[in-house]
Every structure is written in C-alpha cells, then in structure tokens.
Amino acid sequence: MPSDLMQTVVPGLIEHIPITLVYWFVPSVLSLLFGTLLCIVRVGRHNVLYWICTIYISFFRGTPGIVQIYLVFFGLPKLFWIFGIDINDWSAGIYFIIATTMNLSCFMCETLRGGYVGVDKGQIETGLSIGFSRTQNFFRVIVPQTLKVAILNLKNLEIDVLKDTSVAFTIGAVEMLGYAKGVIAASYGSGQLWILGAAAVIYFVMCTVLEIVFTLISHRMERYERRVA
Amino acid sequence: MELDYDFMISDFPTVLAGLPKTLVLTFWSMLWALIIAIVFGSVILSRVPVAKQIVVALNTFIKGVPLTVQLLFCYYAVPFVCKWLDSIGVYDFNPRHIPYFPAAVVAIACNFGAYITDVVVSSVKAVDRGQTESAAAVGMTPLQTVVRIILPQATVISIPSMTNYFIWLLKGTSLASIINVAEMLITAQISAADGYQYLEAYVDAAIIYWAVCAAIEFGCDKLYKRVGFFMQPSRA
C-alpha cells in the first residue's frame, strides 16, 4: 500500500463525507414530505390528479437515475429561462438534490403505499369512531402503523440513496467519490485501486451505521407487537 | 420550452441504435448475476460451515458499496488483469484495445448477484415445508425433491422480485457510461455533442428506457400470471 498517498487521500475523503451526507439527507427529508403527498393522492380516488401522479411515478421508476440527473441538469435551466429566471450559476449539487428528490419521492410513495395497504382498515374506522378528527387520525393512527410496515423497505431505500450520491460527480458535484476521481485524475491514475478501495470501505461503514440505526428504530416501533405476543 | 423538436425526432433512431448494446450488457450481467446468486444462495441454504459466513460477509460488503465505485474499481483494475493475463492462452495484451465491456459486466453482475442471492434464498424458504415432507413421504431422494418439487415452485415465487431486479439492472447499465462502455446513454451523449443538444438526446434516451422497462414489467407480469396459477388461493 502506498502509505504516503493514503496519508493525504484518506483525510481528504473523510473531509468530503459531510457533503455526501448532505446529498443524502436533504433529498431524504424532502422526499419524505413529497412522497407522503404523492401517496395520499395515489391511495385516493381515481381522478385526474391520480393519473398525473401515476404517470409521473411510472416515468421516474422506469428511467435510470443518471438520465434523470442529466435531464434536470440540462432541462431545468431551460425551463426557468421561460420565466426569465437565470439559474445557470446554481451549483451542480443543487441540481443533484432536485433530481434525487424527484426520483426518491416516487419510490418513497410506493413504499409508503405498500405500508398503507398493509394497515388494517378497521384501525382507521376505529380512530374515526372514537372521535379523532381526520388530521388526528392521520398522525396518530395511520402514520405510525404505515411506518411500522414500511420501515424495512425504507431502510433499503435510504441505503440505496446514500450509495446513489456517488453518481453526483457525473454532473460535477464534488462529493466523496468525486474527490477520489479528482485525485486519481491528478496523479495520472497511480494508486487508483487503493483510493477506490478506501472510498469503498468508507461507504460500507456509512451503510452499516445506517442499517444499524434503522434496525434500532424498527425494533422500537415493534415494541407493542412483542408485548402482545 | 425551447426544445429542438426536429433534432429530437431525427436523433431518435440514433439513440435507439444504442439499445441493443444496452440489452446485450443487461443480458450478460443478468446471466452472471443469476449464476453468482444461485451459487451463493445454494451455499447459504445448504449451510456449508465456513463458506456460508464468507458468502454472507461478501454479500454484505458488496451491498454496502455503490455500484459506481465498483464500476470504477473494475475499470481501473482491468489493465492490471489484462497485463497479468498477457500471453496466457490466445490472449494478447494490447494497451490500445482494453476490453472495458467485461469490466462493466463483472461489476454489475457482482453487485446484482449479491442482491439476487437474497431473492434466491427467500424464494426457496417460501416454499411450503409440507411440500418437502410430502416429497420425502412418497420416497423421493433429496436431489429429486430439490429438482422436481422445490426448484419449480421457488422459481415461480421469485418472478416478481426478479422482475424488479431485472429492471433495476437494466437501469443500472446506464451507469456503465461513466466507464466508456458504448451503451445507449453514451450513444445519446455523443450524438448530442455536435450541437450541444444534450437535453433533447437525453429525453429520447429517457423515453426509450421508460418504454423498455414498461414492456419488461408488463411481460413479466403476464408470465407470472401464466405460470403462477397454482399460487392462487383455491376456491374450495
């Protein structure tokens, strides 16, 4: 192992972890919101809005993430240009976050919908019958039970999103892998396998931590189940 | 929006010409992923003492690393492997023609092989235990039980998850564009480079991907309904 190279590269990789985490966290939070909204439309009546959302979801699930990133990167400035707004000087990271949010919302919606379908309908009726308002019923009855069913799929989804941040370098947003690629290019490809190996280990550690956190959350959510059983 | 619609239409066949390459890449990756998954799955299911732990650890590691990193790793490792393979058999190392296509196949196959291993394991476990016991009761040998009873049922059970991963894999092949494998996305990129009409070319590519994925989903759904008739609850 070329130790002098690793001494400079590994701290550099670690310095870029926060950027990777931002590219993971911001889309996750935003798409939890948008995904919930999409899900509410998708489980409701089959009106025009339902079909628009269905086509939107089908598109984002049927095309590769990298194509969506390119579409947003090249398409959004043109779209804003119609309204006379110039967003060409936005940094690439913002485009990446927008594209990932649009993509993840669809997957989030489908995951939550799967969880919602798994909720006993009697629970919802019971909630209404004991006098919860619709908002109260949503937050106190539907959300906890939906999340409990969906949490395992959510875990897989979040791990995928964390890993997919590594695609951001294709549009020039420098996160961890972008930095690694930069170092490899600057040193004309020497020691590339070691640099990528170090990046792989860091990604693996981050994914493991995420997995452990989600497992703890899901154990906590299932605490009522175990008491009955 | 100012889109060059004429270019978009005239570029469509050019982008479509890249589709066979994507499908070939998908085919080989899926084939090797299945082989890896079946081997790993059998090791896990048959509980071979040390090999099982190794396979599980390997799977966990592969799943914890982005496909992009694996692709880049294989891409950069190829020259070393080629040099090492030089003059073994008929292969002749040529630094100007390094085969990047196999590198992409290896990376994608390893990545999805790890995921599909889970599908294999869970599908076999989903076969009703009573089936195995009945097979033993009518005097089948373990090999016969596996080949005639468990495998046919597990295959059908696995179709929906396999479809999912198949579509994921097809979409994942677009990442091979970052290591210069000439699949559809690269074709679109090259065709757009002359006039900087990237958006139009990418819209074309997106439409084709969408259509192909929808077709695969539709086809596999039909297949599942066709062969999965025994899975429907009996109306007795």
Side-chain angles (χ1 to χ4, degrees), chain B residues 139-151:
Chain B
M140 283 191 180
T141 63
L143 184 68
Q144 277 178 325
T145 312
V146 169
V147 173
R148 297 195 187 168
I149 306 293
I150 296 181
L151 277 187

Side-chain angles (χ1 to χ4, degrees), chain A residues 49-95:
Chain A
L49 199 59
Y50 171 86
W51 288 111
I52 292 173
C53 288
T54 306
I55 291 171
Y56 174 83
I57 290 169
S58 159
F59 178 79
F60 276 91
R61 280 160 60 95
T63 53
I66 188 169
V67 173
Q68 292 158 17
I69 291 169
Y70 284 148
L71 283 181
V72 169
F73 187 61
F74 289 104
L76 209 59
K78 285 199 178 188
L79 193 66
F80 272 65
W81 189 245
I82 302 173
F83 306 110
I85 308 166
D86 188 7
I87 58 165
N88 274 311
D89 52 344
W90 280 9
S91 82
I94 296 174
Y95 292 108

Side-chain angles (χ1 to χ4, degrees), chain A:
Chain A
M1 185 188 281
S3 60
D4 50 330
L5 185 70
M6 294 316 264
Q7 262 167 16
T8 56
V9 170
V10 171
L13 285 175
I14 290 170
E15 257 172 44
H16 284 78
I17 288 179
I19 305 176
T20 294
L21 288 180
V22 166
Y23 288 169
W24 163 73
F25 190 70
V26 177
S28 295
V29 172
L30 288 177
S31 56
L32 195 60
L33 181 68
F34 293 128
T36 311
L37 293 178
L38 275 174
C39 183
I40 290 171
V41 175
R42 280 275 283 172
V43 298
R45 261 183 236 104
H46 291 207
N47 50 19
V48 181
L49 199 59
Y50 171 86
W51 288 111
I52 292 173
C53 288
T54 306
I55 291 171
Y56 174 83
I57 290 169
S58 159
F59 178 79
F60 276 91
R61 280 160 60 95
T63 53
I66 188 169
V67 173
Q68 292 158 17
I69 291 169
Y70 284 148
L71 283 181
V72 169
F73 187 61
F74 289 104
L76 209 59
K78 285 199 178 188
L79 193 66
F80 272 65
W81 189 245
I82 302 173
F83 306 110
I85 308 166
D86 188 7
I87 58 165
N88 274 311
D89 52 344
W90 280 9
S91 82
I94 296 174
Y95 292 108
F96 177 77
I97 287 175
I98 293 171
T100 314
T101 306
M102 288 166 86
N103 176 302
L104 183 59
S105 305
C106 298
F107 286 94
M108 198 70 96
C109 161
E110 289 302 286
T111 310
L112 292 178
R113 198 166 68 100
Y116 178 79
V117 170
V119 174
D120 188 1
K121 292 292 163 294
Q123 296 278 335
I124 298 166
E125 285 161 14
T126 313
L128 289 174
S129 78
I130 60 169
F132 276 161
S133 70
R134 288 195 60 154
T135 327
Q136 275 180 322
N137 206 26
F138 180 75
F139 282 108
R140 302 201 175 180
V141 180
I142 299 177
V143 168
Q145 298 197 43
T146 304
L147 280 182
K148 196 190 77 194
V149 179
I151 190 92
L152 278 178
N153 288 326
L154 276 182
K155 177 180 84 176
N156 288 337
L157 206 55
E158 290 298 338
I159 290 175
D160 275 345
V161 174
L162 180 60
K163 291 191 291 176
D164 285 348
T165 57
S166 60
V167 185
F169 79 86
T170 52
I171 56 167
V174 179
E175 34 69 64
M176 208 168 78
L177 194 65
Y179 170 79
K181 269 214 86 170
V183 173
I184 291 169
S187 58
Y188 302 104
S190 68
Q192 70 277 75
L193 294 183
W194 292 109
I195 297 172
L196 284 171
V201 169
I202 294 176
Y203 274 115
F204 175 64
V205 171
M206 289 200 292
C207 288
T208 312
V209 170
L210 197 60
E211 181 146 6
I212 291 171
V213 169
F214 264 95
T215 310
L216 289 179
I217 294 174
S218 74
H219 276 310
R220 192 173 157 71
M221 280 181 167
E222 282 164 4
R223 64 192 185 281
Y224 301 116
E225 300 269 301
R226 266 178 286 140
R227 206 174 290 165
V228 179

Side-chain angles (χ1 to χ4, degrees), chain B residues 29-56:
Chain B
S29 310
M30 190 69 192
L31 186 69
W32 283 105
L34 275 177
I35 292 172
I36 291 173
I38 289 168
V39 170
F40 279 15
S42 331
V43 170
I44 291 178
L45 283 167
S46 56
R47 302 202 190 86
V48 185
V50 183
K52 189 198 161 188
Q53 277 78 13
I54 293 175
V55 165
V56 169

Side-chain angles (χ1 to χ4, degrees), chain B residues 104-222:
Chain B
V105 171
V106 169
I108 298 173
C110 287
N111 189 296
F112 281 90
Y115 284 101
I116 296 176
T117 304
D118 288 357
V119 177
V120 170
V121 171
S122 61
S123 307
V124 171
K125 280 187 180 161
V127 175
D128 192 2
R129 268 195 69 85
Q131 300 279 334
T132 320
E133 286 161 9
S134 314
V138 297
M140 283 191 180
T141 63
L143 184 68
Q144 277 178 325
T145 312
V146 169
V147 173
R148 297 195 187 168
I149 306 293
I150 296 181
L151 277 187
Q153 296 189 48
T155 311
V156 173
I157 292 172
S158 72
I159 288 177
S161 331
M162 284 291 185
T163 312
N164 264 342
Y165 280 114
F166 190 41
I167 291 173
W168 272 107
L169 197 150
L170 183 83
K171 293 193 283 174
T173 56
S174 63
L175 282 176
S177 63
I178 60 174
I179 62 163
N180 301 340
V181 174
E183 39 72 73
M184 201 163 75
L185 196 59
I186 281 271
T187 317
Q189 228 160 39
I190 292 169
S191 72
D194 280 342
Y196 204 76
Q197 290 137 322
Y198 285 105
L199 183 59
E200 288 84 349
Y202 289 139
V203 169
D204 282 347
I207 291 170
I208 296 171
Y209 274 117
W210 192 7
V212 172
C213 288
I216 291 174
E217 197 163 355
F218 181 77
C220 288
D221 202 39
K222 276 266 146 49

